[in-house]
Every structure is written in structure tokens, then in C-alpha cells.
Amino acid sequence: MTLNIGFIGCGMMASAMMDGLLAKGVCQSSDIICSDMYEPSLQKARSKGINGTADNSEVSATAKHAIILAVKPHIISKVCTDIMATSKGDENALIISIAAGVSLETLERGLPGRRVVRVMPNTPCLVGEGAAGFAMGSKCTEADRGLVNTIFGSFGTASELSEVLLNAVTGLSGSGPAYVFQFIEALADGGVRAGLPRAAAIELAAQTVKGAAEMVLKTGQHPGQLKDQVTSPGGTTIAGVERLEQGGMRGAVIGAVLSATKRSMQLGGVSEEDIRHKYNL
């Protein structure tokens, strides 16, 4: 049996998720309905055979298994109102929010009686390599947990965590692709400075990052161990590693994750006092 899923918001992330669901056969295109105010986004969805509408309430009334809220945080309140406007009290669709920083408490308050899940995906789901963290709401069931894993497992991995950690997930894997893209760009720039053609430098840099990531995931070894295996005494690699350390790469990356985590908390309405004293950021 394929799933019947609705998306409120069909921007880049939602489009990538829909592609993953279709590619893995989790849904048929006719089993997906999405809403958006931006007509080109709807046209893109319709070109794949997906039902598109400008009416959020139509999505809420149609989706049987899950409704994914793929909108900006400041729109969540209106979306919840739209969903509840069509509620008859017997709906079974799980509500899944991917809005950054919006807490389960906020979702459950705006969607009384509904089962809600908060998820933080990332853009590599565009190529079936997403990394998502999720937290279950107070009314969720074991079947809901399985549904979330089925949906997000169709375009990557999904890890259940306590909600308090989802802001850190946002700072690491949610924002992390941008950090990695910057690293790939810088690595390629170094290659160009050393004489490589731009296209070759980018391809070598991207494949190097991809291969290194696969080694971490498949060998189970600590990244530090894998680094040590490449850095022979007095060799070229340790000379490059030394320069990275001199440039403060570790501190800059750690700081980037913490800054993005803090921003996620701010978007979710966490007070500056709690951010400083409770979360030590």
C-alpha cells in the first residue's frame, strides 16, 4: 500500500522530499497533494503528476496518512488555523513539521488533539542522501514512529532524538551542508591556486569529501583515526593539517554549529536568558 501524503508548502525542501517518496515508491504522484501561494512551485509539482492547490485547507481535508508542514516558522500559526478550520475531530493524518525552531508545544497548542512530530531534515535529500533528526509529540504512537522513518528514510536517514537536541541538529546537519559546500569551494580554490583547472579542482574536491564521508560511515572508525592514517611523519598531509590548525579551522566549524544552534533557538522563541544560562550558548 502506498501512502497518501499532503504538503503545505512546496518549495525546494518539500519538492526534494516528494521526489524521494516517488523514487522509492512510497507514494504515487496521484497520492500526493501540496499547497503553496507561489504558482511556479505548484506548476513544478503538477508537472510530476502531483495535485497542487493554493488552499491549505484542501490539503488538510485530503491527506490520509500525513501532512507535512514545509513552511517558514512565522507562517506556522496561520497554517495551524487553516488545518483546524477543516477539522471534524476524526482525522487520522499525522502532522509533521519541518519548520525550523517551532517547538512541539507550539504545534500541539495550535493543533489541539492532533498527533504531531517535529523534524529537521537537510538539503541533501535532493539527492537521496538526507540526514534528519526528529522528536515525537505527546500523542504519537509506535505506528507514527514507523511512518516518520518510512517517509524520511526514503531520501536518507532519520534519527529520533529528544526535542531539546533538535536545535543542535539544525546547527549541525540542517545548516551543515552550507559549511561543507564552503569547504569544497575552498579546497577547489586551493587546487586552482596550485595550478589545477577549475572544473577538475571542483570535481576532485567534491569526490574527496564524498569518499572521506563514506569511509567514516562504512568503517565505523573515528575521524581522527582516519586522519592519522593519511598523515605520515614529515609528509605532505601533516604539513597541510598544520596550516588548517594555524587557521583555526576546528574552532571556526564548532563556532558555526553553535551560532546556527543559537539562531534556531531564537527563531523558536527561546529567551536570550535561557540561551545563555540554560543552554550555555
Side-chain angles (χ1 to χ4, degrees):
M1 181 190 73
T2 58
L3 297 177
N4 182 275
I5 296 177
F7 285 80
I8 295 182
C10 56
M12 184 181 70
M13 184 68 75
S15 180
M17 293 171 65
M18 287 185 264
D19 287 345
L21 292 167
L22 294 173
K24 290 296 179 68
V26 176
C27 296
Q28 301 296 319
S29 59
S30 58
D31 294 326
I32 300 176
I33 182 171
C34 65
S35 62
D36 205 288
M37 294 301 294
Y38 188 55
E39 184 60 29
S41 293
L42 293 176
Q43 290 175 357
K44 181 179 178 181
R46 289 171 183 145
S47 72
K48 303 171 186 177
I50 293 168
N51 303 296
T53 176
D55 187 357
N56 295 338
S57 298
E58 187 176 347
V59 174
S60 175
T62 302
K64 296 178 182 177
H65 296 110
I67 300 170
I68 297 174
L69 311 185
V71 297
K72 298 294 185 182
H74 68 277
I75 302 176
I76 281 290
S77 178
K78 178 187 182 304
V79 168
C80 289
T81 299
D82 289 344
I83 292 173
M84 295 310 296
T86 60
S87 178
K88 299 176 182 177
D90 59 351
E91 291 81 9
N92 194 45
L94 178 67
I95 309 292
I96 300 172
S97 169
I98 64 170
V102 179
S103 69
L104 288 171
E105 180 183 5
T106 297
L107 293 167
E108 291 185 337
R109 186 169 60 246
L111 298 162
R114 300 299 294 266
R115 303 176 342 274
V116 300
V117 178
R118 179 181 168 191
V119 183
M120 185 64 234
N122 65 2
T123 55
C125 69
L126 281 161
V127 292
E129 295 292 346
F134 69 93
M136 310 291 287
S138 62
K139 298 181 184 300
C140 287
T141 66
E142 189 63 32
D144 293 332
R145 180 174 288 108
L147 180 58
V148 172
N149 277 304
T150 295
I151 292 172
F152 289 88
S154 69
F155 40 77
T157 63
S159 301
E160 183 176 3
L161 299 162
S162 63
E163 186 184 16
V164 72
L165 296 176
L166 287 191
N167 291 307
V169 171
T170 301
L172 198 163
S173 57
S175 302
Y179 318 151
V180 177
F181 295 145
Q182 275 194 295
F183 179 72
I184 291 172
E185 182 184 34
L187 202 60
D189 282 346
V192 172
R193 176 65 179 85
L196 289 171
R198 171 66 64 182
I202 291 175
E203 182 177 358
L204 286 166
Q207 182 61 37
T208 296
V209 170
K210 179 182 178 181
E214 285 293 330
M215 287 182 70
V216 172
L217 293 172
K218 290 184 177 179
T219 67
Q221 293 186 58
H222 190 280
Q225 289 180 295
L226 294 171
K227 179 209 70 179
D228 289 348
Q229 293 171 17
V230 187
T231 51
S232 53
T236 60
T237 304
I238 192 62
V241 169
E242 179 186 28
R243 188 58 181 267
L244 289 174
E245 294 290 0
Q246 290 171 346
M249 188 190 82
R250 290 174 188 265
V253 173
I254 291 170
V257 173
L258 295 181
S259 292
T261 300
K262 179 178 179 180
R263 182 57 181 152
S264 178
M265 290 179 175
Q266 291 170 335
L267 289 172
V270 179
S271 70
E272 291 297 325
E273 182 177 357
D274 278 351
I275 290 174
R276 286 194 302 272
H277 300 296
K278 185 176 179 180
Y279 298 105
N280 197 29
L281 296 175

